[in-house]
Amino acid sequence: MIVMTPEATEAEIAQVKRRLEAIEALHVLVLPGELTTAIGAIGDPEGVAELGLEGMRGVDRVVPISRPYKLASSELAHRESTVLEIDGRVVGGGETFCLIAGPCTVESRGQTLAVAHAVAAGGASMLRGGAFKPRTSPFAFKGLGVPALEILAEARAQTGLPIVTELLDAQHAEAIREFADVVQIGARNMQNYALLEVAGKLGRPVLLKRGLSSTVEELLMAADYVLKEGNDAVILCERGIRTFETATRFTLDLSSIPWLKLHTHLPVIVDPSHAAGDRRLVGPLSRAAAAVGADGLLVEVADDPASALCDGPQQLAASGFARYAKDVAAHAALTGKRLS
Ligand code: PEP
Ligand code: MN
């Protein structure tokens, strides 16, 4: 919709109309109002955007009516919710709740196997663990790399839990393809479009985290980058955003979950650990996420949180995981879901 200024002349309106009519198959409709005239342009939002009409004389603003994300949109041919099955674990679809748990970072074989067995026994659906870590400081521990992937493979062999691990850099794509059942794209890379295309081509489900300062529309456009590579298996993850509030590490945007459920067919999960930055908040935020309709959780669990090299204060102790999982399952049941 192109809204003209109240002062726009007939000639200026006609000029805008002519520019629009140059786009093939665009339906153009002039709508004179009491104060201003609006011009509806139906059929080619990208083509209209490319005209740059905002700069023309007499144009007040151009208001896009259609959604800027396409493949991720729930409008897409009125498609049903996407339901993924990852080695028998169902993600999405409204009947199951997936609980992805594990250490922030794979630090050693012993640590990872201990956590893997604890979360498997407690009812986790999948195991998470970082091999390549995005660290705010270049001097912090960046993960063990490929040896960590081999430890995760052993954990998978021992527990049967599918592995979720982050693809940080395109140069690790082959190694990640070999070891990951689900490829995580971290918050800091949500708008690394080249990496999203690499992830989309890997032939593995992609867990896409929302950027720390990204809107939900930007998250869905990022998902479009993966989907356009022919990969239908995308899981969205709300993990907290930057706001003026500093009491928590990030602000968990709980309203994004029901919003996303309305606007996309993709499953939506929540990471309460990075949002909170404090394990005491992880239980309440997990319960809230389940209650507002999330399809699952991604939660950090350590065998000995106090000695963790990364994100210790927010990691749950493995010894308390079974109790936590039971509590989460009870809250997921409020929305008709059972643990997958
Ligand atoms: C993580 O899950 O380990 C992680 C680094 O999270 P985020 O990208 O959300 O900060
Ligand atoms: Mn972490």
Side-chain angles (χ1 to χ4, degrees):
M1 186 74 73
I2 294 88
V3 183
M4 304 300 290
T5 63
E7 300 79 29
T9 64
E10 287 302 323
E12 287 164 352
I13 294 168
Q15 179 73 11
V16 172
K17 185 166 176 273
R18 259 197 307 281
R19 296 263 331 259
L20 287 167
E21 282 168 348
I23 299 179
E24 207 182 320
L26 192 75
H27 187 53
V28 182
L29 205 62
V30 178
L31 306 158
E34 219 166 284
L35 269 178
T36 58
T37 291
I39 306 174
I42 306 156
D44 183 0
E46 284 80 19
V48 173
E50 278 166 20
L51 289 179
L53 298 175
E54 293 87 344
M56 285 184 72
R57 288 177 75 89
V59 173
D60 183 31
R61 59 194 189 276
V62 178
V63 187
I65 306 293
S66 60
R67 299 177 179 182
Y69 42 91
K70 308 288 174 212
L71 304 174
S73 175
S74 51
E75 275 177 344
L76 185 75
H78 306 285
R79 65 168 289 175
E80 304 277 295
S81 296
T82 289
V83 184
L84 308 181
E85 202 187 313
I86 299 156
D87 220 3
R89 279 74 173 177
V90 177
V91 187
E95 286 175 13
T96 61
F97 192 84
C98 82
L99 186 52
I100 305 170
C104 171
T105 308
V106 172
E107 296 177 13
S108 71
R109 180 173 177 273
Q111 163 246 15
T112 303
L113 293 179
V115 176
H117 282 287
V119 301
S125 324
M126 296 185 230
L127 177 68
R128 63 147 289 148
F132 301 96
K133 296 299 296 180
R135 299 309 301 274
T136 303
S137 163
F139 308 114
F141 176 58
K142 290 189 194 144
L144 298 175
V146 173
L149 296 175
E150 285 160 358
I151 292 170
L152 288 169
E154 192 178 349
R156 186 191 200 289
Q158 288 190 16
T159 62
L161 294 177
I163 300 300
V164 181
T165 196
E166 178 166 349
L167 173 66
L168 182 66
D169 188 314
Q171 64 175 317
H172 309 138
E174 273 314 306
I176 294 287
R177 186 215 301 272
E178 189 182 337
F179 291 99
D181 297 288
V182 177
V183 176
Q184 178 172 323
I185 297 290
R188 287 153 192 83
N189 271 321
M190 189 206 87
Q191 288 182 310
N192 182 341
Y193 302 121
L195 189 68
L196 295 176
E197 288 174 342
V198 169
K201 290 190 184 95
L202 283 183
R204 297 272 178 280
V206 173
L207 191 164
L208 177 61
K209 294 188 122 187
R210 178 179 178 185
L212 357 165
S213 298
S214 298
T215 66
V216 279
E217 286 203 337
E218 287 162 345
L219 171 63
L220 293 181
M221 286 188 269
D224 272 354
Y225 269 92
V226 178
L227 295 165
K228 83 173 170 60
E229 297 303 325
N231 185 344
D232 282 340
V234 176
I235 303 164
L236 304 172
C237 181
E238 160 62 31
R239 46 79 72 209
I241 53 173
R242 273 252 153 98
T243 67
F244 55 80
E245 182 56 75
T246 54
T248 48
R249 189 176 178 190
F250 294 95
T251 299
L252 184 64
D253 182 10
L254 276 172
S255 35
S256 72
I257 293 116
W259 187 93
L260 284 164
K261 287 273 146 200
L262 284 174
H263 291 83
T264 178
H265 54 85
L266 298 171
V268 182
I269 67 168
V270 169
D271 170 352
S273 307
H274 290 88
D278 178 339
R279 81 176 57 83
R280 296 170 301 179
L281 308 186
V282 169
L285 293 180
S286 301
R287 296 196 285 271
V292 292
D295 294 300
L297 291 162
L298 176 77
V299 67
E300 288 190 340
V301 181
D303 58 336
D304 178 15
S307 69
L309 295 176
C310 181
D311 289 349
Q314 71 195 29
Q315 301 201 59
L316 298 176
S319 57
F321 182 76
R323 196 159 20 96
Y324 165 83
K326 220 170 140 197
D327 190 32
V328 164
H331 284 76
L334 294 174
T335 58
K337 299 187 186 82
R338 58 186 158 68
L339 279 194
S340 173

